[in-house]
Amino acid sequence: MDRKHAELMLQLARSLDIAVNPSAEAVYDPRDDRVFVWATPDDHPRTALWEGMVPGMRPGRLTKPCGFAGYFQFDFAGIDEVYRVIIHPVFRGSVEDVDWIHSKLTSLAAAAEVAVDVPVVNFSVVEAENALEDEIRRGTERDRKSLLETHSRKWRIPTEEKTYYGFYVDGEAEIQVLSNRDPDAWYLLSPAQIMSDEFGWGDNGRASQETALCVLLDYFDETLPVEKLDTSMRFALPSKAFVNHTLFRKGMIETLEPGKAWVITGRQIKEWLEENAVVCASCAGSGTQPDGLYCAVCGGSGYRSDFFHVS
Ligand SMILES: [Zn+2]
């Protein structure tokens, strides 16, 4: 397989671009040497996660309802040879997602009459290679979590592109923030250690409360001054995340299945807030008064706070 063959596939992918072609098999989105692949309600990886996401799929700017599944990338050796094809799913570690993206690669290759006679590898292989180069492999091989953390950089992801993914590593609850446009952009959330020093979901405990708070803090791009919280919870009132997190825990985090992975998109949080959070009537959500001080009614968050009104 050489660059000519890759070009044939990229060319076909451009005619099957999900942004312009309404036909069912048009689920591609080629960018340089990568082909992004979108899952649709009728054609997606066979996992409970994706089943759960189907009702929420919307076309957005594209031609059909869909969710971003990941990409495959031609890895060129030198100028002309394709050395291998790398599959990069959005949901890390999902064998079903890798297989599904692989099937999209295979059908595109067949339609372009190209034989993929090079290795097709999961990105985690590439990641492990990079880790080796960085001489950080020692000790991390057995420990998937530290590998995750090593690669986790604090990317800036626009709120409307964010997806929250809760899953377990070695029995420990982790939350990953992903971009629904770019699988290279992601990071792990750390507990803010205000309610608990660990995440959880599926009950009304402190770990679920911590999850609700940290997801909203990330969603609103806020931080809480933990040292001030020891003195008075009043310092948390200007925080949109803080005033809404108990409601969010009850409405969303508590309803998740304990012990199972889950996905909540930024759009779902936006819709949930629109339906459930109560905007402060006094400041119309701005959080400030005409004199520039925090709104005296909501305390500065712009939302009516249960915390504030419960005496
Ligand atoms: Zn207000």
Side-chain angles (χ1 to χ4, degrees):
M1 193 176 185
D2 59 24
R3 186 173 288 272
K4 213 164 58 250
H5 297 117
E7 271 309 322
L8 282 172
M9 288 176 65
L10 287 164
Q11 210 177 332
L12 182 61
R14 280 190 284 274
S15 72
L16 292 172
D17 190 330
I18 191 167
V20 290
N21 186 336
S23 70
E25 68 272 22
V27 294
Y28 301 98
D29 176 10
R31 307 181 186 190
D32 301 324
D33 54 357
R34 296 184 294 176
V35 179
F36 285 43
V37 189
W38 295 75
T40 62
D42 297 325
D43 187 6
H44 55 79
R46 295 290 146 196
T47 63
L49 265 184
W50 279 101
E51 286 300 334
M53 283 190 285
V54 164
M57 285 184 184
R58 301 283 185 277
R61 284 171 286 115
L62 304 174
T63 53
K64 52 188 82 73
C66 56
F68 179 48
Y71 65 71
F72 56 84
Q73 176 173 23
F74 299 106
D75 195 3
F76 292 102
I79 297 170
D80 279 331
E81 288 301 305
V82 176
Y83 161 56
R84 61 186 175 182
V85 182
I86 301 164
I87 293 186
H88 196 151
V90 167
F91 297 116
R92 311 172 60 82
S94 167
V95 177
E96 292 87 351
D97 286 41
V98 170
D99 288 348
W100 185 81
I101 295 169
H102 198 160
S103 76
K104 294 294 129 192
L105 163 72
T106 304
S107 51
L108 190 68
E113 296 180 354
V114 169
V116 181
D117 53 4
V118 295
V120 178
V121 299
N122 189 336
F123 78 102
S124 61
V125 172
V126 181
E127 217 168 42
E129 284 174 5
N130 293 343
L132 187 64
E133 280 165 19
D134 296 345
E135 292 183 274
I136 55 167
R137 191 182 176 202
R138 229 186 335 271
T140 64
E141 235 180 353
R142 293 180 306 275
D143 187 350
R144 213 177 118 222
K145 191 187 163 193
S146 60
L147 190 64
L148 275 174
E149 279 170 352
T150 306
H151 287 270
S152 178
R153 282 167 287 173
K154 186 79 181 175
W155 286 76
R156 298 288 306 177
I157 303 173
T159 306
E160 64 278 10
E161 284 183 17
K162 279 180 178 174
T163 295
Y164 296 88
Y165 173 39
F167 60 108
Y168 291 91
V169 177
D170 302 329
E172 207 176 305
E174 295 284 348
I175 298 170
Q176 190 179 358
V177 187
L178 310 151
S179 160
N180 64 13
R181 307 279 314 176
D182 182 358
D184 292 324
W186 62 273
Y187 52 88
L188 288 178
L189 282 188
S190 302
Q193 302 189 324
I194 291 167
M195 306 298 163
S196 166
D197 56 7
E198 59 183 8
F199 291 132
W201 46 83
D203 61 23
N204 63 3
R206 297 179 70 85
S208 290
Q209 193 84 5
E210 182 75 14
T211 295
L213 179 60
C214 290
V215 167
L216 286 187
L217 282 172
D218 182 87
Y219 176 83
F220 286 117
D221 199 14
E222 293 178 334
T223 49
L224 281 178
V226 181
E227 63 292 346
K228 286 186 179 174
L229 289 178
D230 289 341
T231 331
S232 164
M233 283 305 222
R234 226 163 35 79
F235 287 104
L237 289 177
S239 162
K240 297 178 195 305
F242 185 80
V243 300
N244 286 306
H245 82 283
T246 300
L247 202 60
F248 184 63
R249 188 258 294 156
K250 287 180 190 158
M252 288 199 92
I253 303 303
E254 221 177 291
T255 65
L256 300 168
E257 218 175 316
K260 291 269 172 65
W262 51 268
V263 166
I264 297 176
T265 65
R267 192 171 47 75
Q268 282 174 307
I269 295 177
K270 182 171 179 281
E271 287 172 0
W272 183 89
L273 286 164
E274 283 165 2
E275 272 169 42
N276 297 281
V278 184
V279 173
C280 172
S282 177
C283 64
S286 73
T288 51
Q289 300 179 156
D291 60 9
L293 296 174
Y294 284 143
C295 168
V297 175
C298 65
S301 71
Y303 288 100
R304 234 186 80 116
S305 159
D306 287 342
F307 178 82
F308 197 67
H309 290 274
V310 170
S311 55

